[in-house]
């Protein structure tokens, strides 16, 4: 059995600082692909290829708690489409 996976992301972000809080909005396009092969010695030769693609919007928030410690939270929203092709 073999497989591969690849992911691409292209986006824009900018960071603002309000007092101690750092805000970083993100807008990006994502593409994720997987290809799976199922094979054995009894004539099994199947494949399954998936594609996930679409836009992502997010917000990263960071707040310092101590000199060397900070609180960090990431909020993401993905609007993805899914397509798959199977050869059973």
């Amino acid at each position: 059995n073999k497989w591969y996976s690849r992911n691409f992301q292209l986006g824009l972000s900018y960071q603002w600082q309000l007092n101690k809080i750092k805000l970083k909005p993100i807008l990006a396009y994502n593409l994720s692909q997987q290809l799976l092969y199922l094979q054995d010695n009894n004539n099994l030769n199947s494949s399954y290829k998936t594609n996930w693609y679409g836009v992502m919007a997010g917000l990263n928030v960071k707040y310092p708690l101590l000199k060397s410690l900070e609180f960090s939270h990431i909020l993401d929203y993905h609007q993805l489409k899914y397509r798959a092709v199977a050869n059973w």
Side-chain angles (χ1 to χ4, degrees), residues 1 3 7 10 14-15 17 26 28 44 46-47 51 54 63-64 67 71-73 76-77 79 81-83 85 87-88:
N1 297 332
W3 64 275
N7 298 297
L10 179 64
Y14 185 80
Q15 182 171 296
Q17 185 158 345
I26 300 168
L44 176 65
S46 299
S47 64
N51 289 293
Y63 182 80
K67 186 175 182 178
F71 170 80
S72 178
H73 184 73
D76 286 342
Y77 173 76
Q79 183 68 46
K81 293 183 180 180
Y82 174 77
R83 292 209 173 146
V85 175
N87 177 17
W88 304 114

Side-chain angles (χ1 to χ4, degrees), residues 23-83:
L23 300 172
K24 188 176 180 183
I26 300 168
L27 182 63
Y29 178 81
N30 292 310
L31 171 63
S32 179
Q33 297 177 321
Q34 297 84 32
L35 180 57
L36 310 169
Y37 294 100
L38 301 171
Q39 299 170 329
D40 71 1
N41 295 331
N42 297 323
N43 296 325
L44 176 65
N45 190 16
S46 299
S47 64
Y48 186 62
K49 183 176 182 181
T50 66
N51 289 293
W52 300 80
Y53 55 95
V55 295
M56 185 273 291
L59 179 65
N60 294 359
V61 179
K62 293 183 180 180
Y63 182 80
L65 299 174
L66 301 171
K67 186 175 182 178
S68 61
L69 179 67
E70 72 179 7
F71 170 80
S72 178
H73 184 73
I74 301 172
L75 178 67
D76 286 342
Y77 173 76
H78 298 259
Q79 183 68 46
L80 300 176
K81 293 183 180 180
Y82 174 77
R83 292 209 173 146

